[in-house]
Amino acid sequence: MPETTSLPALPSPASTEYRNMVHRVLGAATGTDPALAVGTIATVEGMSDIVEWACRGQSADETASIWLQNFRWARVIGLTVEPSAPLPPRADWETTAGQDLSGCDVELAHLDPTTAQALGRADMQYPARHDFPDAVSPAFIPRLTPLALYPQDSTPHLGQLVANVTSLTHGSPEALACGVAWVFLVRTCLASV
């Protein structure tokens, strides 16, 4: 059997079919605990930054783009960020998310203490260098879901991006493998619809 290095293709991002797919996927991915739903928004915003830079003819560090949005996620839900972290300026989505969350319980520390700690770290975590190598909670799954929509068909490229984004909060081999499997499963399901 030949080895495949391409993921199933999605509709063109300019199509109505793709936009409808985005709405369905994001609706499902944000239908979770409010503190985790903000993580999904942060991932989408990081992906948007990557696409904006590409439209300008510039490449962007994909993992770092999402990592910077994670600091905004931390701010929205009231987490402390280490003073030496490269905090981005406030974004419009932070204000909107904060207003939407007023009156909600956004205690991520109770839901997933490791994610709460990792979000405030000044050093970006990598699969091979991680402060939480045993983190295995399922809290990272909702924020990975939008990566299945990423307009990248290379299996190695998307797989590495998913592992990197997973490792921003979860460093265990089980979490890394589960994250990649999840995104590839969602991508395959979306492509077959």
Side-chain angles (χ1 to χ4, degrees):
M1 179 185 259
E3 188 177 319
T4 181
T5 58
S6 292
L7 293 163
L10 296 176
S12 165
S15 70
T16 302
E17 183 181 2
Y18 184 82
R19 282 192 299 275
N20 291 339
M21 186 179 291
V22 168
H23 288 288
R24 285 193 316 271
V25 169
L26 295 183
T30 57
T32 183
D33 182 272
L36 296 179
V38 177
T40 301
I41 295 166
T43 299
V44 171
E45 290 295 328
M47 292 169 58
S48 295
D49 288 348
I50 297 162
V51 172
E52 283 180 37
W53 280 106
C55 289
R56 294 179 190 156
Q58 299 288 321
S59 62
D61 182 317
E62 297 161 320
T63 306
S65 294
I66 294 170
W67 178 57
L68 290 173
Q69 294 293 340
N70 282 351
F71 288 125
R72 290 181 168 133
W73 171 17
R75 280 195 302 226
V76 166
I77 62 174
L79 295 176
T80 301
V81 176
E82 292 178 353
S84 60
L87 283 176
R90 291 216 177 263
D92 291 340
W93 77 263
E94 287 181 81
T95 303
T96 304
Q99 291 168 349
D100 289 347
L101 290 175
S102 63
C104 291
D105 177 20
V106 289
E107 284 293 321
L108 183 60
H110 296 301
L111 181 67
D112 185 37
T114 303
T115 296
Q117 285 183 304
L119 285 179
R121 287 278 199 250
D123 296 321
M124 186 164 52
Q125 305 296 300
Y126 289 95
R129 189 199 76 224
H130 207 279
D131 292 341
F132 306 102
D134 299 323
V136 295
S137 75
F140 64 93
I141 293 291
R143 70 179 167 81
L144 293 182
T145 304
L147 293 173
L149 298 163
Y150 193 54
Q152 173 59 256
D153 294 335
S154 166
T155 301
H157 184 110
L158 187 59
Q160 185 64 60
L161 177 60
V162 172
N164 289 349
V165 172
T166 300
S167 74
L168 293 175
T169 58
H170 289 67
S172 72
E174 295 84 0
L176 298 173
C178 180
V180 172
W182 173 251
V183 170
F184 285 7
L185 174 66
V186 172
R187 174 66 169 259
T188 301
C189 291
L190 290 172
S192 66
V193 173

